[in-house]
């Protein structure tokens, strides 16, 4: 089946196909885990990772932004999006109420333009040039402008 169960209270449980159920604390890179899962070393996630409550960081946090070069821009799972296109673009809907995105234009020469639309409520049309930013929050129905900056 490719599944396994570890732990006295789980002895009658059935793990999902190709899955694992573990009772207690799990350590990766440590023999003394002090939380449900403790990883000593690096971790890499290739898909969206959901955090149910707070993300607490000891040390530094790095983030790879999305570079968007086609429209509509899909902001799913992203907060910082580098816009590398010219002319008018649109945004796909947000994924979660309260999702915040920052769009920064990195293309040169011609502006990247975002206009008010059904899912984008902004204070006047935005014509972003290189280094300009606009910040938006998803309210469940539309992207609502928080702020913008012109950065020559």
């Amino acid at each position: 089946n490719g599944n396994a169960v570890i732990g006295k209270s789980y002895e009658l449980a059935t793990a999902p196909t190709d899955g694992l159920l573990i009772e207690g604390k799990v350590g990766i890179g440590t023999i003394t885990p002090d939380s449900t899962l403790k990883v000593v070393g690096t971790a890499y996630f290739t898909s969206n990772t959901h955090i149910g409550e707070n993300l607490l960081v000891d040390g530094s946090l790095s983030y790879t932004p999305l570079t968007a070069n086609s429209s509509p821009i899909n902001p799913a799972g992203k907060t910082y999006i580098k816009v590398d296109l010219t002319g008018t673009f649109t945004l796909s809907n947000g994924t979660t109420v309260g999702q915040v995105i920052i769009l920064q234009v990195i293309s040169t020469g011609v502006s990247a333009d975002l206009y008010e639309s059904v899912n984008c409520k902004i204070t006047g049309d935005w014509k972003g040039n290189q280094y300009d930013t606009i910040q938006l929050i998803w309210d469940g129905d539309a992207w609502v402008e928080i702020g913008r900056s012109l950065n020559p």
Side-chain angles (χ1 to χ4, degrees):
N1 234 5
N3 56 354
V5 177
I6 300 171
K8 185 160 180 67
S9 339
Y10 288 0
E11 63 189 0
L12 299 177
T14 302
T17 302
D18 295 326
L20 175 65
L21 293 177
I22 300 175
E23 177 183 23
K25 297 177 180 173
V26 175
I28 299 175
T30 179
I31 60 171
T32 56
D34 54 6
S35 54
T36 304
L37 173 63
K38 182 168 187 174
V39 178
V40 176
T42 59
Y44 180 78
F45 300 92
T46 59
S47 186
N48 291 336
T49 302
H50 299 276
I51 298 172
E53 293 195 18
N54 298 319
L55 173 63
L56 306 174
V57 178
D58 293 334
S60 64
L61 178 67
S62 62
Y63 175 81
T64 303
L66 168 69
T67 299
N69 51 24
S70 64
S71 180
I73 294 174
N74 182 359
K78 295 296 180 182
T79 55
Y80 175 39
I81 301 169
K82 293 182 173 187
V83 180
D84 189 14
L85 50 87
T86 58
T88 304
F89 69 92
T90 59
L91 296 169
S92 298
N93 290 344
T95 53
T96 306
V97 172
Q99 178 186 2
V100 174
I101 58 173
I102 299 169
L103 303 174
Q104 180 186 30
V105 177
I106 62 171
S107 51
T108 60
V110 182
S111 66
D113 306 330
L114 182 63
Y115 298 116
E116 180 143 351
S117 64
V118 173
N119 79 336
C120 189
K121 306 302 179 198
I122 60 177
T123 310
D125 298 337
W126 182 68
K127 294 182 177 289
N129 293 302
Q130 189 176 25
Y131 307 118
D132 292 348
T133 63
I134 187 167
Q135 301 83 40
L136 307 164
I137 187 169
W138 180 250
D139 73 358
D141 295 311
W143 290 105
V144 179
E145 181 176 345
I146 299 170
R148 61 174 78 186
S149 62
L150 302 176
N151 300 307

